[in-house]
Amino acid sequence: MGGSEPLQTQACEDRDFSEWHGGCPWCAVWVVRVDGMQVQALLDQLRAAIQPWLLPRYERQPHVTVAYRGLMVDAQPLHACPQATFGTTQLGADIAAFQAAELAPFSLMLQGVGSFSTVPYLAVSANARLQQAHDAVAASEPFPGWRYVPHLTLGHYACQMPMHRVLQPLQACIAEALGLPVPVDALWLARYRTSDIAGALHFEGRFDLRTQTYHAEPGALIVL
């Protein structure tokens, strides 16, 4: 989720990366949910502009990642995963960290488009409160030179090609959306299936920025 913009896209594989998850079925992430017909219409327009170069499937709901939290501890002992790091203890610590940061509701602004090597995205303007939320639970950066880049992913690249060929049609679609506000009154804990790189998010619960309390969703795997 960071680094300088690459010169070439990198083709992605729609497969089960078992060498990463080692059999752990779920991975946890804190996100901002981005709802609204205007944003969805813009995402659809951007994806359509570059669809020939994307993997055909991307089912994740519109969201801005706040912080990756790792493989989830499975509630079923028969499916215990030694690589898993995120469970009730870690969730409790995250909630305490958000409360200590005294985060208040805020708004994000759509800023433009950009791309990492593997995915193009709709960019979000820098926001001090979003950065504060990220810093509260992201203890360390994954590698030197990495930086947090808030964004909404458009999909995964299916081929290698010069990056400018992708960015040109995206930039042609984006002008009217600059400055579109995204109100944020909660941070959501979500999980996704590790075997599906493009599968939907499942929402575990939300941290309400107005009340500074966490509320589990029906069907949550981690309940305090």
Side-chain angles (χ1 to χ4, degrees):
M1 192 189 296
S4 59
E5 195 166 273
L7 297 178
Q8 298 274 335
T9 66
Q10 178 181 334
C12 298
E13 299 177 76
D14 189 354
R15 67 174 179 86
D16 180 357
F17 289 88
S18 58
E19 64 273 21
W20 159 57
H21 62 72
C24 295
W26 297 102
C27 191
V29 59
W30 284 103
V31 304
V32 168
R33 294 178 72 165
V34 181
D35 300 316
M37 294 179 61
Q38 282 183 291
V39 175
Q40 186 61 61
L42 175 59
L43 291 171
D44 291 344
Q45 181 183 10
L46 291 171
R47 286 172 181 146
I50 58 171
Q51 192 60 54
W53 307 318
L54 298 178
L55 291 179
R57 188 175 61 91
Y58 187 75
E59 299 172 2
R60 301 237 165 113
Q61 302 90 321
H63 68 281
V64 176
T65 297
V66 176
Y68 170 79
R69 300 306 291 132
L71 299 171
M72 290 178 63
V73 174
D74 199 318
Q76 302 298 323
L78 292 178
H79 302 94
C81 180
Q83 297 97 320
T85 59
F86 192 85
T88 54
T89 299
Q90 293 73 24
L91 174 56
D94 283 2
I95 293 168
F98 288 146
Q99 290 169 335
E102 299 181 338
L103 299 166
F106 57 95
S107 290
L108 299 176
M109 301 292 270
L110 303 185
Q111 179 175 278
V113 293
S115 185
F116 305 123
S117 61
T118 54
V119 300
Y121 59 79
L122 176 58
V124 175
S125 61
N127 182 283
R129 287 180 180 166
L130 180 61
Q131 183 70 50
Q132 190 179 9
H134 168 78
D135 293 343
V137 295
S140 61
E141 308 302 3
F143 55 83
W146 187 96
R147 61 189 178 89
Y148 176 50
V149 181
H151 65 279
L152 286 83
T153 298
L154 299 176
H156 297 85
Y157 289 124
C159 58
Q160 184 179 35
M161 61 185 299
M163 187 62 68
H164 69 86
R165 287 189 60 198
V166 178
L167 293 179
Q168 285 174 350
L170 290 177
Q171 289 163 348
C173 295
I174 198 65
E176 70 275 13
L178 297 182
L180 185 64
V182 177
V184 180
D185 59 15
L187 306 176
W188 290 81
L189 180 65
R191 69 181 190 271
Y192 58 87
R193 290 194 178 278
T194 57
S195 59
D196 189 351
I197 68 166
L201 295 174
H202 301 260
F203 295 101
E204 284 278 301
R206 73 187 189 281
F207 180 78
D208 192 319
L209 296 176
R210 296 162 298 187
T211 64
Q212 297 290 296
T213 54
Y214 179 79
H215 307 273
E217 289 285 285
L221 299 183
I222 300 176
V223 179
L224 298 177

